Amino acid sequence: FLLTREQLLDRVCARLGGRAAEAERLRAVTTAAEDDLRYVTQLAYSQMAVYGFSPLVGNVSFQGDGGRALYSDETATLIDHEVKQFLNEAYERTLGLVRAHADEIDQIAALLLERETILHADV
């Protein structure tokens, strides 16, 4: 299936939502986001090194065979930088969304404390 850079950004923000909500609403973060962090990191590396979504890296795909890197150490450093910048921007965007929807988040949290499981129709 095809996804745009914006759609991938939305997926990353969705996966960072729990971490951002913890940081913003609870003023602490836990280890709960481990799987989400692994997912968004892999997705960000794919955007930069496979899908050609970084203007600095260019329209190239560095999919290697057998784990062998197809790029130089300089390119690896550039990809690392692009991934970190993208994920930092995505996290800031997610924090903004959490702040903008704080009342709704609090209402859903209260409902979850009351019922433990809720459906879309409940909200």
Side-chain angles (χ1 to χ4, degrees):
F1 56 96
L2 302 174
L3 295 171
T4 67
R5 186 179 193 283
E6 291 73 24
Q7 289 170 317
L8 290 170
L9 174 62
D10 288 343
R11 286 184 178 205
V12 168
C13 289
R15 293 296 285 257
L16 292 174
R19 167 64 60 103
E22 284 181 340
E24 188 63 27
R25 306 305 295 152
L26 303 177
R27 301 286 183 219
V29 294
T30 68
T31 59
E34 177 190 1
D35 186 56
D36 293 326
L37 293 173
R38 187 177 311 118
Y39 174 85
V40 300
T41 301
Q42 182 59 48
L43 188 57
Y45 272 100
S46 292
Q47 286 184 72
M48 306 311 162
V50 178
Y51 304 136
F53 282 168
S54 166
L56 295 178
V57 177
N59 290 318
V60 293
S61 182
F62 294 114
Q63 284 187 304
D65 294 328
R68 185 170 99 57
L70 297 176
Y71 45 84
S72 67
D73 290 343
E74 289 176 15
T75 300
T77 299
L78 178 61
I79 291 169
D80 289 345
H81 171 77
E82 288 289 277
V83 165
K84 288 177 185 175
Q85 182 175 328
F86 172 78
L87 291 177
N88 286 339
E89 289 172 7
Y91 186 68
E92 289 302 317
R93 178 179 182 234
T94 306
L95 282 172
L97 290 167
V98 167
R99 290 178 190 123
H101 298 281
D103 291 340
E104 292 96 328
I105 291 170
D106 290 345
Q107 290 171 0
I108 290 171
L111 191 56
L112 282 168
L113 287 171
E114 181 181 309
R115 292 192 181 163
E116 189 174 326
T117 302
I118 60 175
L119 303 173
H120 187 268
D122 297 327
V123 291

